[in-house]
């Protein structure tokens, strides 16, 4: 299994191509051509994709790529088409956004339809079964068949391919039993296998954050129970000065901060979390809000990550709507502070890199949102641990599966049903992601987020 050295965490996908000048289809110099109406049969309600296709910001394969739609998805169309580079037929404008090549669609009277990607079966937290190769001396195997055997139903054979090196997390795509031994198929397209006995199963975390705002009436500051000493519970007291024990509360439970008691030095001595219910600061992780970044549009969706508290809060404008615990970069690979924007979302991404001098590989990470391509930083699921609240990643922001899925479909750019990738562009950017700390509460704009600010300032009155 080839492993690529990286600074942080990376997916294997190719980046969307950079924009080039849109082709000029004007009838006269300086005159824009009016969109044409596609010639589809009467009663056409949607277009079926005959293959997986890329979605472009403008008609033409030299325009910015803003998404990928899976084969067999039925997309709505906006009633316009345009000629453009790289397509025999006209490019077709689809709903909710973008253009696709008309070579790969068939008209249908059925309504638009697409599945959420990745698709979850009933009761699943992540799409499939995952594990880590932990056996010493583990090998990968390739599937082959005896070509000289006369019987067509001859059982397949496996041949040794390569030793497993480093920390390798895999997904089970299929199982194969040969001579009393079970093997996992660990590659979706290639016939690559590993002994099941060499793999330790992952149990994805069932932890999840909490809704805020109109859903439950909570706002910020918000806190999560974090018992001193690392115990499973903390005490809730009936007075700010101590008093009796009102109840015990489980670690990582979200609680509102309704009132703060402070000492003579102004530092908090207790927090009220309910009627007659108080908790001491050493038993809580508290998220204290900072002013939103400048240049945000009204009610724009954005994400705020406090590295010190290891808490993420999602906002719509100034209204907090979701809060959860995360795992950001550890001491050796800290998450870089900054103001970013989501530039690409992938339904599933393979990640490879180096942990110090040791390689690591993580298969098919669901609900991945890249926000700093220069450092390969992303918000993504971590199905391999349940230590949210501890800084331990390779630089990315690790999320519990349920949190990662919620944020993936909530933030911009939106991911319509059937889309496996969605990309933000300067003209239609993704959500802001602010990574801050007490040492750097107001970080600078970085990556393509900085270009968005510059573009907006250029057109400001």
């Amino acid at each position: 299994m080839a492993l690529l050295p990286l600074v942080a965490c990376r997916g294997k996908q190719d980046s969307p191509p950079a924009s080039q000048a849109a082709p000029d289809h004007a009838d006269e110099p300086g005159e824009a051509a009016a969109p044409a109406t596609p010639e589809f049969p009467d009663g056409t309600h949607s277009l079926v994709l005959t293959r997986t296709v890329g979605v472009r910001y403008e008609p033409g394969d030299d325009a910015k790529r803003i998404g990928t739609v899976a084969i067999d998805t039925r997309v709505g169309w906006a009633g316009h088409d345009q000629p453009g580079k790289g397509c025999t037929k006209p490019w077709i404008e689809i709903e909710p956004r973008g253009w696709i090549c008309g070579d790969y669609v068939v008209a249908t009277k059925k309504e638009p339809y697409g599945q959420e990607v990745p698709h979850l079966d009933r009761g699943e937290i992540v799409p499939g079964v995952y594990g880590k190769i932990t056996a010493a001396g583990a090998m990968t195997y390739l599937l082959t068949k005896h070509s000289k055997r006369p019987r067509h139903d001859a059982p397949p054979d496996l041949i040794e391919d390569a030793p497993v090196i480093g920390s390798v997390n895999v997904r089970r795509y299929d199982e194969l039993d040969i001579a009393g031994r079970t093997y996992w198929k660990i590659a979706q397209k290639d016939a690559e296998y590993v002994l099941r006995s060499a793999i330790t199963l992952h149990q994805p975390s069932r932890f999840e954050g909490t809704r805020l705002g109109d859903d439950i009436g909570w706002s910020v500051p918000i806190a999560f129970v974090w018992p001193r000493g690392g115990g499973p519970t903390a005490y809730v007291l009936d007075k700010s000065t101590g008093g009796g024990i009102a109840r015990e509360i489980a670690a990582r439970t979200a609680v509102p901060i309704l009132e703060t008691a402070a000492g003579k030095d102004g530092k908090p001595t207790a927090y009220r979390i309910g009627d007659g219910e108080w908790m001491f600061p050493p038993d809580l992780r508290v998220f204290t809000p900072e002013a939103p970044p400048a240049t945000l549009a009204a009610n724009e969706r954005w994400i705020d990550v406090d590295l010190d508290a290891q808490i993420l809060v999602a906002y719509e404008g100034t209204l907090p709507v979701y809060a959860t615990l995360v795992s950001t970069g550890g001491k050796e690979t800290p998450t870089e502070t900054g103001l970013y924007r989501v530039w690409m979302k992938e339904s599933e991404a393979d990640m490879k890199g180096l942990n110090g001098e040791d390689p690591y590989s993580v298969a098919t990470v669901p609900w991945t949102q890249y926000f700093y391509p220069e450092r390969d930083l992303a918000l993504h699921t971590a199905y391999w641990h349940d230590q949210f609240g501890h800084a331990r990643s390779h630089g990315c922001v690790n999320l519990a599966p349920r949190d990662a899925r919620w944020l993936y479909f909530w933030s911009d750019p939106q991911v319509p049903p059937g889309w496996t990738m969605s990309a933000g562009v300067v003209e239609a950017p993704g959500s802001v992601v602010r990574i801050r700390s007490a040492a750097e509460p107001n970080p600078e704009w970085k990556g393509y987020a900085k270009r968005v600010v510059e573009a907006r300032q250029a057109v400001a009155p």
Side-chain angles (χ1 to χ4, degrees):
M1 303 180 70
L3 299 178
L4 304 177
L6 303 173
V7 175
C9 49
R10 178 191 292 269
K12 289 171 60 179
Q13 81 299 321
D14 295 328
S15 300
S19 176
Q20 299 178 18
D24 184 4
H25 303 299
D27 296 328
E28 299 292 340
E31 179 184 343
T37 300
E39 295 183 0
F40 294 123
D42 291 341
T44 296
H45 288 165
S46 68
L47 306 174
V48 180
L49 301 186
T50 59
R51 52 166 282 183
T52 297
V53 300
V55 183
R56 302 289 174 170
Y57 184 68
E58 296 171 323
D61 65 2
D62 53 352
K64 293 180 180 179
R65 186 171 179 175
I66 61 170
T68 303
V69 190
I71 187 174
D72 295 330
T73 301
R74 300 197 298 267
V75 297
W77 54 285
H80 299 143
D81 70 358
Q82 293 278 11
K85 183 179 178 181
C87 189
T88 304
K89 296 180 180 179
W91 285 78
I92 299 168
E93 188 177 11
I94 64 171
E95 296 174 343
R97 65 184 184 276
W99 297 76
I100 61 173
C101 177
D103 294 348
Y104 311 115
V105 301
V106 174
T108 175
K109 294 183 179 180
K110 295 181 179 180
E111 296 298 321
Y113 174 79
Q115 280 197 335
E116 177 183 306
V117 184
H119 177 70
L120 293 179
D121 290 333
R122 185 180 297 274
E124 280 190 327
I125 297 176
V126 292
V129 179
Y130 298 82
K132 183 176 182 178
I133 301 175
T134 53
M139 300 287 296
T140 59
Y141 299 84
L142 295 180
L143 183 65
T144 183
K145 287 189 176 182
H146 289 288
S147 58
K148 295 181 181 180
R149 288 185 180 179
R151 289 171 42 227
H152 294 293
D153 60 347
D157 285 343
L158 292 176
I159 58 173
E160 286 190 355
D161 178 36
V164 175
I165 300 174
S167 174
V168 180
N169 293 275
V170 296
R171 178 178 175 179
R172 183 189 68 191
Y173 287 99
D174 197 4
E175 280 190 347
L176 186 64
D177 292 318
I178 299 178
R181 307 179 84 181
T182 300
Y183 298 81
W184 272 21
K185 185 175 185 288
I186 61 170
Q188 189 171 17
K189 296 181 180 180
D190 300 327
E192 187 176 16
Y193 289 79
V194 171
L195 264 172
R196 166 63 184 87
S197 59
I199 299 169
T200 300
L201 275 178
H202 285 308
Q203 299 294 332
S205 172
R206 293 182 175 272
F207 171 76
E208 61 183 317
T210 181
R211 297 296 293 265
L212 303 174
D214 295 339
D215 291 285
I216 62 173
W218 290 6
S219 187
V220 288
I222 185 88
F224 286 84
V225 177
W226 200 261
R228 70 190 83 184
T233 61
Y235 292 128
V236 178
L237 308 174
D238 58 14
K239 295 180 181 179
S240 63
T241 55
I245 297 174
R247 61 187 174 104
E248 291 187 49
I249 189 168
R252 301 198 301 190
T253 301
V255 294
I257 300 298
L258 305 175
E259 184 181 348
T260 301
K264 294 181 179 179
D265 58 0
K267 295 182 179 180
T269 58
Y271 296 104
R272 184 169 68 85
I273 66 167
D275 293 337
E277 293 190 328
W278 294 82
M279 293 188 71
F280 290 151
D283 292 321
L284 294 173
R285 289 279 185 87
V286 180
F287 177 94
T288 303
E290 294 283 347
T295 76
L296 283 182
N299 300 318
E300 184 174 346
R301 295 180 176 185
W302 65 285
I303 294 166
D304 198 14
V305 179
D306 183 336
L307 294 176
D308 301 303
Q310 291 290 291
I311 293 176
L312 175 152
V313 174
Y315 288 86
E316 294 177 5
T318 58
L319 177 68
V321 296
Y322 199 88
T324 193
L325 290 166
V326 298
S327 289
T328 62
K331 291 183 179 179
E332 299 298 322
T333 53
T335 304
E336 186 174 334
T337 57
L339 278 168
Y340 310 97
R341 281 186 179 272
V342 175
W343 73 279
M344 184 171 67
K345 295 180 175 182
E346 276 203 308
S347 58
E348 295 176 299
D350 293 339
M351 296 182 176
K352 300 180 179 183
L354 289 176
N355 182 14
E357 296 181 354
D358 297 323
Y360 69 87
S361 173
V362 186
T364 53
V365 179
W367 308 298
T368 297
Q369 304 186 65
Y370 293 95
F371 58 84
Y372 192 27
E374 289 82 354
R375 296 288 186 273
D376 301 296
L377 298 184
L379 299 151
H380 65 73
T381 306
Y383 56 72
W384 52 91
H385 77 79
D386 188 20
Q387 297 185 31
F388 304 102
H390 294 279
R392 53 157 290 166
S393 81
H394 295 109
C396 289
V397 179
N398 286 185
L399 295 155
R402 287 168 171 162
D403 293 334
R405 178 176 175 269
W406 190 91
L407 287 165
Y408 181 84
F409 289 107
W410 169 84
S411 66
D412 292 320
Q414 294 295 300
V415 185
W419 288 44
T420 60
M421 185 275 281
S422 183
V425 293
V426 171
E427 298 88 343
S431 293
V432 167
V433 178
R434 180 170 68 184
I435 309 292
R436 62 179 173 91
S437 65
E440 195 170 358
N442 298 298
E444 63 181 8
W445 293 99
K446 296 180 179 179
Y448 101 99
K450 186 176 181 180
R451 296 194 293 275
V452 173
V453 172
E454 293 168 347
R456 290 183 174 182
Q457 290 174 341
V459 298

